[in-house]
Amino acid sequence: MSFGLLFHHFHNEKHIKTQGSITEKDFRNLLNFVQKEYNLLSAEMWLDLQSKNRLGKQDVCITFDDALKSQYVVAYPVLQEYSIKAFWFLHTSFLEDRYDKLEIFRDFRHRSFDDIEDFYIDFFKYLETKDLYSLKYSQIINEIDFKSYLKNFELYSYNDRKFRYIRDYMLSFKEYELIMFQMM
């Protein structure tokens, strides 16, 4: 079964380092590793083989999610050096006349706090002190084993897991948006 390597965030002197972002050097090292271990295909070759049902187990492609500026600024020049074309998947919320604020919130978390853990402390404190959320928050804190949640993603800290669970299951997206805007 072939697969794609999905990338999101990159950083350099103009794009801040955020949780999970990589540098141009990291990206280049990953491409070098992949080329040694797998058959790294350009997007059009991958599509051609896929349409003919001829993709091999070692065939891989590069994909980018959400069409972020850091991908274009940091990763695209590397792809040009390697003569590799990738798949670029766009976030389509603007087609529905709405703007996805997740990148704004991510930027806020990383630019407004010295450390992501500082953001988590403030976020959890906010939930503890607001009557609207405090009861539900205290229930979840006592019921959920956050060490087990997303346990296959070893890169997540305890507070990453706790935040993601609360954001994704305790709060509606509208509630999450409201909290983030109030914190901003």
Side-chain angles (χ1 to χ4, degrees), residues 16-33:
I16 67 167
K17 182 177 181 178
T18 61
Q19 190 179 33
S21 68
I22 64 172
T23 64
E24 176 184 320
K25 181 181 176 187
D26 295 332
F27 186 52
R28 193 175 268 109
N29 288 340
L30 284 165
L31 291 179
N32 289 334
F33 171 79

Side-chain angles (χ1 to χ4, degrees), residues 18-78:
T18 61
Q19 190 179 33
S21 68
I22 64 172
T23 64
E24 176 184 320
K25 181 181 176 187
D26 295 332
F27 186 52
R28 193 175 268 109
N29 288 340
L30 284 165
L31 291 179
N32 289 334
F33 171 79
V34 169
Q35 283 184 323
K36 288 178 188 168
E37 300 293 322
Y38 297 93
N39 184 23
L40 181 58
L41 302 173
S42 276
E44 63 268 280
M45 177 61 80
W46 193 94
L47 277 175
D48 182 56
L49 290 173
Q50 190 275 335
S51 70
K52 296 172 183 170
N53 202 24
R54 293 181 48 208
L55 282 172
K57 290 181 181 180
Q58 294 295 104
D59 293 336
V60 298
C61 62
I62 303 295
T63 72
F64 296 94
D65 211 5
D66 299 332
L68 304 172
K69 188 173 183 179
S70 70
Q71 296 166 349
Y72 180 75
V73 170
V74 178
Y76 182 65
V78 176

